[in-house]
Amino acid sequence: MALLTIETTCDETAAAVIDRRGVVLGSAIATQEKLHERFTGVVPEIASRAHVERILPVIDSALTQAAIKPENITAIAVAHTPGLAGSLLVGLVAAKTLAAAWQKPLIAINHLHAHLYACQFVSPESVYPCIGLVVSGGHTSLYHCTSALDLEYLGGTIDDAAGEAFDKVAAMMRLGFPGGPAVSRLASTGDPKAHAFPRSMIHDDHFNFSFSGLKTAVRYAIVGPGKQDFDLVKMDDVAKANVCASFQAAVVDVLVSKAIRAVRRYHVTQLCVGGGVAANRELRRSLEQAAGRGGFRLTIAPPELCTDNAVMGAIAWEKFHRGEFATLDLDIQPGLQRGY
Ligand code: KG4
Ligand code: ZN
């Protein structure tokens, strides 16, 4: 028994074949970073066209690695929410077509729940109940999770996502796209105390986040208020590294402090963290310290399962066991409903 999982929510085209015990028999990812680089962000129209070109070779590659025939696939699972509409559609149409052609059940995956499931996927024991923190390019959300599929949304960003802030700060300093890895690399040589950047809402007794004020503060640190263009000539590598380190410290402080607040509020002993930003070394280090001090268990998705991939689609086995199948009229749901 094996699942075929498909992921096309943003700019990664991915497919995986995962057996019932959670062994990954095949996994393929085609990234689009080069296509979006010069725009310093994902361009939806380019992303969906690229998915169309890549989806079949990627699925084929995952199936070939797994050396599995279609008749031995148990079900086809696809991330249908949240994400870019055009991107989601490509994966969904591929999944529905294969489900119809091969007469297989279809399973709908919530991409954010899958990001968190990456933690359960690598844990020998159950991680539930836990607080789940998803930090990605599109989302920064906290959940109280009583199982892989039962998640109570506690709060999230009211403006930019954490990863988006990394990408925009990188764009201000022309560090390339995606910005997270570049900012974190430079940050490792900078002084996190060089700039006292704002930690919005850090002391507020709720689970929302805001990163747009931080982004503006970074911009002012680079050019000063009121200027239109960034005066990069005056910024040497040390100055850039200091901005990166101070910015990263502000993001990390807020994420860690809100996650700890949620762990305490919901009296759980486990924190799970997933999503692209969870690959950030400083965030991982700071979370580990906090878990040590706070006496709670911490599972962070391994770096290769932080950024978008289809392996985290193994969450579909949980739905399979519950008998939660989708019908062929399953639609995409680009935005998040409250409660997700
Ligand atoms: O989860 P993901 O691959 O896609 C979404 O679902 O959004 O996350 C991508 C985001 C990008 O904003 C990228 O800059 C950020 O994750 N990212 C990082 C790091 N690696 C990727 N941010 C900070 N530090 C990193 N090492
Ligand atoms: Zn993602």
Side-chain angles (χ1 to χ4, degrees), residues 86-130:
S87 293
L88 288 165
L89 268 175
V90 178
L92 183 66
V93 169
K96 284 198 214 179
T97 307
L98 293 178
W102 295 345
Q103 300 275 294
K104 303 290 177 186
L106 183 68
I107 300 175
I109 296 174
N110 177 309
H111 175 73
L112 299 185
H113 299 182
H115 266 307
L116 283 181
Y117 191 75
C119 297
Q120 178 60 76
F121 190 71
V122 296
S123 297
E125 290 157 22
S126 169
V127 296
Y128 307 104
C130 69

Side-chain angles (χ1 to χ4, degrees), residues 235-254:
M235 260 194 119
D236 58 24
D237 284 350
V238 174
K240 283 187 193 170
N242 285 343
V243 167
C244 288
S246 303
F247 159 78
Q248 180 176 266
V251 175
V252 168
D253 275 358
V254 176

Side-chain angles (χ1 to χ4, degrees), residues 111 115 136-138 163-164 166-167 178-181 184 275-277 279-280 306-308:
H111 175 73
H115 266 307
S136 71
E164 196 178 350
F166 269 94
D167 293 338
S184 97
V277 182
N280 184 275
C306 283
T307 43
D308 289 346

Side-chain angles (χ1 to χ4, degrees), residues 20-35:
R20 202 169 40 145
R21 291 159 301 143
V23 177
V24 181
L25 304 177
S27 171
I29 306 181
T31 67
Q32 303 179 8
E33 280 169 12
K34 288 277 163 288
L35 295 180

